[in-house]
Amino acid sequence: MSVSNGRAFLAIPGPTTVPDQVLQAMNRPAIDLYSGDHLDLTASLLADLPKLFRTRGHAYIYAANGHGAWEAALTNVLSRGDHILVLDSGRFATGWGEMAEAMGVSVEVLHGDWHSAVDPNKVEERLRADAKGDIKAVLVVQVDTASSVANDIEAIRAAMDAAGHDALLMVDAVASLATMPYQMDAWEVDVTVTGSQKGLMTPPGLGFIAASDKARERRRLNANLVTRYWDWSFRDGNEHYMKYCGTPPEHLLFGLRKALDMLLAEGLDNVVARHQILADAVRAAVARWAEAGALSFNITDPAHRANSVTTVRTKGFQPKALLDYAREKCGVTIGIGIGGLEATAFRIAHMGHVNAPMVLGTLGVIETGLKALEIPHGKGGVEAAIETIAGVVKA
Ligand SMILES: *Cc1c(COP(=O)(O)O)cnc(C)c1O
């Protein structure tokens, strides 16, 4: 028996659900890349993207996924042999660091564990010890999509300032932009990297960067890793094709335009509040289920749990059995654990185009699976989620 036919739900942390309006905006013929319409589209995107990052700095759009945007960021500000510091809190900052290493950068990892956020005191301590200023950049993720930790970027900036260190602060906001507060200028972030397919509700294939003046100055002065495709200076050129270093990824841009319209119409603060409420609902359910001991939060401190994804640890059962049940029997795809957590965790995504029925439906399916598979769990997880939402969202 199965009850999976109907609209399939994707509850994985990227790619996320693409709104029908975004899909429809893409369903049109290609346009002339030299036309005024296309120039206007590009200008509007480059004007609106910085609003998401809350920066007056420059945005760049790449036909690339998040990994491409990572490479873009590194090549524009670093030179072969530069030393950088990677703040580990899961899989993604270290992955970014591995990419830098492959490019000839000397990479030092400030190790963390997968259960807590980066400790700003340790960052300060390490930077204080670097009196000569060898460390050229500090790399960190705002949300690590494997561990589901949310790092405090503002506190990390404060730690860098307290150490009086001049390194660039480079932040991966792929799994957090438009889901949690982000203040690029107020937090003095130099480079922010993100992608289209998570909070931005657009199909995979676009990478974005926002760069501060200081970062762009680095590019001009001494970044010898730069290559033409990623080069900000080339993309700063006047001709339209230069903005993309070739033919623009037109249909993705049509989709992105619609997605940004939707986010800006809702209002960024409301978008963030929606994610907060829905994440609180997920956490209320997980906390209830966890009472029987077979499930637990991967991130110990509630203050550092992401509002975009929740990694749930499992004990005494294979998460695959639960995920297979959810997908095959009930039509909801839930994220697997990654980076070594395949057999001991699953991930519930609550990011992007999500609303109460999608989250309550997903939680309902997980609870159904826990019951059907006879996995020990505290009763009433969905009820706890409902109480959370009803407690905040008033008539
Ligand atoms: C998804 C993700 C990436 C990588 O993005 P791709 O588009 O898969 O290359 C990088 N960082 C974080 C935090 C992510 O969640």
Side-chain angles (χ1 to χ4, degrees), residues 13 65-68 70 92 141 143-145 172 174-175 197-198:
N65 60 17
H67 281 70
W70 273 353
F92 285 87
V141 293
V143 166
D144 186 283
T145 327
D172 171 335
V174 179
Q197 80 276 22
K198 300 198 179 165

Side-chain angles (χ1 to χ4, degrees), residues 67 124 203 238 268 359:
H67 281 70
E124 182 180 338
N238 280 329
L268 268 189
V359 167

Side-chain angles (χ1 to χ4, degrees), residues 31 33-51 57-61 235 237-244 248 253-254 256-257 260-261 264:
I31 61 173
L33 73 133
Y34 302 105
S35 72
D37 282 358
H38 208 323
L39 271 49
D40 292 348
L41 173 63
T42 296
S44 78
L45 294 172
L46 291 177
D48 283 345
L49 281 166
K51 295 177 190 166
H58 270 251
Y60 297 93
I61 304 172
R235 285 168 185 253
N238 280 329
E239 288 194 57
H240 186 231
Y241 86 94
M242 291 175 155
K243 307 286 177 211
Y244 304 94
L253 300 175
F254 300 151
L256 176 68
R257 182 62 266 165
L260 295 187
D261 288 345
L264 295 172

Side-chain angles (χ1 to χ4, degrees), residues 81 104 371 384:
K371 192 169 182 71

